[in-house]
Amino acid sequence: MSSTTPALSGHIPQPSAAATWTRRPSEGRQAMPSPESGALKVFYEKTVAALIEAPEIDLMLRRAWLDQVHHVTAEPTGVTYADADAGGRPALWAEPVAEPGDGVILYFHGGGFVLQSIASHRKLGGHLAKAANRRVLLLEYRQAPEFPYPAPVDDAEAAFRWLLDQGYSPAQIAFAGDSAGACLALSTVVRLRDNDLGVPVGVVGFSPWLDLESLPGTLDSNAEYDVLAQRPLCEESAAAYIQDTGAAADGRANPLHADLTGFPPVYLTASDSECLFDNGERFAQRARAAGLDVTFVVEHGQQHVYQFMAGRAPEADRSVAEAGAWLAARLSAPAPVHTVDGSTPDRRGEAPC
C-alpha cells in the first residue's frame, strides 16, 4: 500500500520508508460516512442505553447482549466453518470455499478482555478469511474478571504452539484482532519472542485498544463522537483485566510500553472519531521510531471496530479487503525469521505438513 495522503492533521510524523500512513479524506463530499455505516452507531446507542437503564444486568447477560453485534455484519458467502480445539481452548475455523492459500491467520476477538466471543466475530472472521483467501482460526480465550492477565496471553501462546504442532512454521502464521484482540495479538508477539518460539509473519489490528492506563488524549477529546469505547468502559475493562498484577504499564501486557525488537510487520487501522484513535497512532509512532515495517490507515467518521459492518458498508468492506490483501502478501512471501536481537539470519517459506 502506498502513502497517498498527507500526515495526519499535523500531529503524526511523516513516515519513513518502512512506515506507511494513509488517511481517508476528511474534508468535502468524499468525507461523509456512508449511510450504511450508521447502523453500527445505532446498535451501539441502543446497547449502551439499555445497559445504563438496567445497571443490575449480570455479566453473562451483558456478554450475550454484546454478542448480538454480529447482526450488523452480513453473512459472508463462500466460507465454511468448523469447530476446533486449539491448545485446550475452543476455536472456530473460517475457511474459504475456494482453495485457500498457504498459511493461517489466528484471530483474537475484541471486547475489552471481558465481553464478546467467537460468536460475535464469526462473520467478521469469515469476511477476513475470504479477503485474504486464507483459513482464519478464531480463538475463544479465557476472559476477565474470572481469568485476568496473563490468562488470555497464555491461551494465545497455547494456540500458537498448537498451530506449530499442526505443521505450520511461524512464517506461515499471521495474527489479527480488533480492539482488545489487537492488544492481545501484540502482547502475544512479545511473549513468543521472549520465549524463543518465533513470531508471526505479520499482525493486523482493527481499532486497537492498547492503553491499559487510560491516559488523556482522544479517549477524552473524541468522547462526543464515539458511542461505545468511552473512558468509563475502558477503565472498567482495564481494571478487570489487570486486577492486582500491576501490569497496566508493563510491556508484556501493554504494547505501548513493549520492547519492539524483533517485531514483525504491523498493520493498524482506526477511525479518527474513535476514543481509542491515538492508541494506534502512538503504537505506529513507536514502531516507526524503532524502524519497523508499520502501516497505519485512518478512516474518517466511523465507530469503534467499524469492520463489523463488513458486507453492508463500503468503509468496512474496503478495510477488510485491504487488510486481507496485506495478510495474503505477508503469508505468500518468504518471510524473515525474527530473532530476539532483531536479526534475520535466513528465510522460510515451507508449506505445512
Side-chain angles (χ1 to χ4, degrees), residues 152-206:
V153 184
D154 293 341
D155 292 345
E157 178 186 351
F160 183 84
R161 289 177 180 271
W162 180 79
L163 287 172
L164 296 180
D165 290 342
Q166 305 310 300
Y168 292 98
S169 72
Q172 295 171 305
I173 303 170
F175 286 174
D178 61 278
S179 193
C183 181
L184 179 55
L186 294 169
S187 297
T188 303
V189 172
V190 174
R191 168 76 69 84
L192 299 176
R193 180 203 62 197
D194 291 350
N195 288 346
D196 291 327
L197 292 172
V199 297
V201 74
V203 179
V204 163
F206 297 137

Side-chain angles (χ1 to χ4, degrees), residues 1 18 27 31 50 55 80 88 151 186 208 212 219 229 244 263 267 284 289 298 307-308 312 325 339 346 348:
M1 183 180 300
E27 298 178 0
T80 62
L186 294 169
L212 302 178
L219 185 59
D244 60 356
F263 253 62
Y267 181 105
V298 182
Q307 293 80 10
F308 275 130
R312 301 194 191 279
T339 63
D346 56 41
R348 295 190 209 175

Side-chain angles (χ1 to χ4, degrees), residues 31-338:
M32 293 296 293
S34 69
E36 297 88 348
S37 68
L40 183 59
K41 183 178 181 180
V42 171
F43 172 83
Y44 285 158
E45 287 174 336
K46 290 180 176 179
T47 300
V48 170
L51 294 175
I52 290 175
E53 291 176 7
E56 73 282 358
I57 291 177
D58 66 24
L59 181 56
M60 296 307 294
L61 186 53
R62 290 179 66 190
R63 284 173 172 161
W65 207 316
L66 266 295
D67 270 358
Q68 299 308 304
V69 70
H70 76 86
H71 288 298
V72 305
T73 313
E75 188 69 53
T77 60
V79 179
T80 62
Y81 300 93
D83 292 329
D85 182 313
R89 294 299 303 164
L92 184 73
W93 283 111
E95 182 168 354
V97 172
E99 183 67 25
D102 292 336
V104 62
I105 301 164
L106 180 57
Y107 194 95
F108 307 108
H109 68 79
F113 295 107
V114 176
L115 305 168
Q116 300 186 323
S117 67
I118 57 178
S120 58
H121 286 68
R122 176 186 64 83
K123 296 177 188 177
L124 177 53
H127 282 286
L128 185 61
K130 189 173 180 180
N133 193 35
R134 296 298 191 281
R135 301 176 79 198
V136 170
L137 182 67
L138 295 100
L139 180 67
E140 196 78 278
Y141 56 87
R142 289 172 293 171
Q143 292 179 301
E146 301 96 324
F147 301 99
Y149 173 82
V153 184
D154 293 341
D155 292 345
E157 178 186 351
F160 183 84
R161 289 177 180 271
W162 180 79
L163 287 172
L164 296 180
D165 290 342
Q166 305 310 300
Y168 292 98
S169 72
Q172 295 171 305
I173 303 170
F175 286 174
D178 61 278
S179 193
C183 181
L184 179 55
L186 294 169
S187 297
T188 303
V189 172
V190 174
R191 168 76 69 84
L192 299 176
R193 180 203 62 197
D194 291 350
N195 288 346
D196 291 327
L197 292 172
V199 297
V201 74
V203 179
V204 163
F206 297 137
S207 296
W209 175 50
L210 311 177
D211 180 11
L212 302 178
E213 300 172 282
S214 300
L215 297 176
T218 55
L219 185 59
D220 301 307
S221 62
N222 278 349
E224 63 179 300
Y225 309 112
D226 191 319
V227 175
L228 182 67
Q230 299 208 5
R231 175 174 289 279
L233 178 62
C234 293
E235 290 179 343
E236 178 184 354
S237 299
Y241 179 50
I242 295 302
Q243 295 191 19
D244 60 356
T245 63
D250 189 323
R252 293 169 294 182
N254 182 339
L256 295 176
H257 290 281
D259 173 8
L260 302 182
T261 302
F263 253 62
V266 176
Y267 181 105
L268 303 177
T269 180
S271 165
D272 58 6
S273 298
E274 294 188 58
C275 284
L276 303 180
F277 168 71
D278 64 3
N279 286 217
E281 178 186 60
R282 288 157 58 195
F283 185 90
Q285 290 172 331
R286 291 192 70 241
R288 173 184 179 270
L292 298 186
D293 181 346
V294 58
T295 299
F296 185 39
V297 179
V298 182
E299 189 63 67
H300 177 63
Q302 297 296 303
Q303 290 294 309
H304 184 55
V305 194
Y306 60 92
Q307 293 80 10
F308 275 130
M309 292 302 301
R312 301 194 191 279
E315 297 91 346
D317 288 343
R318 177 173 58 202
S319 181
V320 172
E322 291 176 348
W326 187 91
L327 287 163
R330 305 284 85 70
L331 289 166
S332 295
V337 178
H338 296 269

